[in-house]
Amino acid sequence: MELRAKATAASDPFEFGILVPRWAMMRALLVMASITVLATVPAAAQQFDGRDPVCLQIWEWGGSTTISCQYRSWDACKVAAASLSAMCLLNPYGQSPPERSRRSPHR
């Protein structure tokens, strides 16, 4: 009489009938690695020029936005924003005009 060890569920990977080819596993691993690498790359920062005081923020398809700070006046920005999904805003890095003195002039 010959005794054979019975395979347990933990030692038999094919017991549940799931057979995945090696190339499919490698492809899945490559896709997951690519997503991980691309998700960790920092996005390109937008740079604002401080010479122009008004910016135009345009919303694009998919939820992304583009900010262009190249307008000298609100009116020029409004003309560019016409018929777009956009708005004008102050340049956060723009040079503000000097504040007016709050004192009354001496008489």
Side-chain angles (χ1 to χ4, degrees):
M1 183 164 150
E2 192 174 312
L3 294 174
R4 290 188 180 179
K6 189 174 183 180
T8 62
S11 65
D12 189 6
F14 302 108
E15 181 181 12
F16 298 108
I18 301 173
L19 181 62
V20 179
R22 178 170 280 186
W23 62 267
M25 292 294 286
M26 295 303 286
R27 183 177 291 171
L29 182 62
L30 179 65
V31 167
M32 289 189 297
S34 299
I35 290 171
T36 303
V37 168
L38 293 176
T40 58
V41 174
Q46 292 181 340
Q47 297 179 355
F48 302 110
D49 188 8
R51 291 178 287 174
D52 298 319
V54 183
C55 298
L56 176 68
Q57 182 176 10
I58 302 172
W59 283 271
E60 298 172 351
W61 183 257
S64 64
T65 62
T66 302
I67 298 177
S68 173
C69 297
Q70 60 184 8
Y71 301 98
R72 299 259 179 206
S73 68
W74 282 103
D75 292 331
C77 182
K78 286 181 189 177
V79 169
S83 75
L84 295 174
S85 176
M87 71 178 229
C88 298
L89 50 101
L90 285 176
N91 186 347
Y93 300 102
Q95 298 173 355
S96 59
E99 289 187 29
R100 294 181 183 162
S101 176
R102 295 185 184 182
R103 290 190 220 167
S104 60
H106 295 289
R107 293 185 184 187

